[in-house]
Amino acid sequence: MLLQNSKNLDSKCVHAGIGEYQYGPVVPPIYQTSTFKFESAEHGAALFKGEEEGYIYSRMKNPTVEAMENAIADLENGYKALGCGSGMAAIHTVFTSLLNAGDHVVCSKAVYGPTATLLKTVIKKFNIETTFVHASDINEVNNAIKENTKIIYIETPGNPTLEITDIEDVAKLAHQNNAFMVVDNTFMSPALQRPLELGADVVVHSLTKFLNGHADVVAGVIVSKDKALYTTMRKTLNQIGGVIDPFNAFLVHRGIKTLSLRMEKHSKSAQKIAEFLENHPQVKWVRYPGLKSHPQYDTAQKQHHDAGGMISFELKGGLEAGRAVMNNVKFCQLAVSLGGVETLIQHPASMTHHSMGKEAREAAGITNGLVRLSVGIENVNDIIDDLNNALKIASELKSLEKSIA
Ligand code: LCS
């Protein structure tokens, strides 16, 4: 059996996208070159005309980038993928490829802050309106659709509320209305959720997160279900120029080899931490797709292979108590981004989702007290002990305040 032919995800992660190279390396070489020599003037002309396959210039195509793209397309079960310079570059390329002036977008309220801001600012400038909905409610999505709706864009689970959308149901609705269904699959990765298999047309990722997994790259990807969508977006990306570079593509491809292993560990630890938080007297609520208390637990069970590494919670003391915890963790690190091997904690209202504005945050369910945790692959007891300790300090500070007052 060819290594690439295994249907098992853990094998796919190790071997996907790897081709044959000069000298037989088991790892794709880094083709750190901006341009490629032609055999002759006629050869160069044939490449530009598309009469022959080959490499011309690294904004258009590069073998190291292509290897990583093939790996992700294989994992997502898509036609082909396009590596981008960041997750935002990928999202921007999708919008500018598929939308025309006068079109309309339906977007879930639970999205990464800058995604909403991109639609409300840059995309809006081209006379394209967006309606934001709670996409977990299919009726809300249905009611928002207009004659000119061209894209239904969802992030599931959404950042940072972890609101979950039924991909299959929304994809059906999109297609009944001649719209494209685009899913940001960053929080789950193809190891835990494959939207194209559930009817989506396009998947985007911030590769900065779980797919790379090591907090050392900023990159993105677009995976298309068919050739027509891929060709359209490839042309746009080539014109916009927001491509990934070969070294970052190499690092992402290397990260993917351990994706299945990492996602298993992230999920196992996050489940334990979510249960610890849910049982802690100072915690007001916890959102985690693996908890029965999650409002869309049944949808999660249907479309996730495991529950992932992201948790959101709020303490009884709200913002002040949350800040006290963030300022007193010693093992978890206070930083934005997510999906790396190290545990990170952050405050969406004042950090990742600040650009959305208070009103949009409140509508999306991002309370001022919400704290987000990206669970790493360290020993879970170290993470729990750290949180427990920070929660204790936070409650002592509160009681001190009370005694002074
Ligand atoms: N999509 C999701 C779901 C994200 O969480 C992010 C970044 C992006 C797209 C954009 O990707 P980038 O351009 O950064 O590669 N999310 C971040 C976060 O929650 N904290 O810092 C970045």
PDB file of all heavy atoms in Angstrom, residues 90 325 373:
ATOM      1  N   ALA A  90      -6.573  34.332   4.133  1.00  0.00           N
ATOM      2  CA  ALA A  90      -7.396  33.270   3.544  1.00  0.00           C
ATOM      3  C   ALA A  90      -8.865  33.709   3.494  1.00  0.00           C
ATOM      4  O   ALA A  90      -9.539  33.587   2.461  1.00  0.00           O
ATOM      5  CB  ALA A  90      -7.248  31.989   4.359  1.00  0.00           C
ATOM      6  N   VAL A 325      -7.522  36.059  38.023  1.00  0.00           N
ATOM      7  CA  VAL A 325      -7.030  34.718  37.639  1.00  0.00           C
ATOM      8  C   VAL A 325      -5.948  34.852  36.566  1.00  0.00           C
ATOM      9  O   VAL A 325      -4.870  34.267  36.672  1.00  0.00           O
ATOM     10  CB  VAL A 325      -8.201  33.821  37.153  1.00  0.00           C
ATOM     11  CG1 VAL A 325      -7.689  32.576  36.431  1.00  0.00           C
ATOM     12  CG2 VAL A 325      -9.057  33.410  38.335  1.00  0.00           C
ATOM     13  N   LEU A 373      -9.516  29.758  27.408  1.00  0.00           N
ATOM     14  CA  LEU A 373      -8.352  28.923  27.677  1.00  0.00           C
ATOM     15  C   LEU A 373      -8.081  28.045  26.452  1.00  0.00           C
ATOM     16  O   LEU A 373      -8.994  27.399  25.936  1.00  0.00           O
ATOM     17  CB  LEU A 373      -8.712  28.038  28.881  1.00  0.00           C
ATOM     18  CG  LEU A 373      -7.622  27.378  29.687  1.00  0.00           C
ATOM     19  CD1 LEU A 373      -6.715  28.408  30.353  1.00  0.00           C
ATOM     20  CD2 LEU A 373      -8.263  26.489  30.769  1.00  0.00           C
TER      21      LEU A 373
END
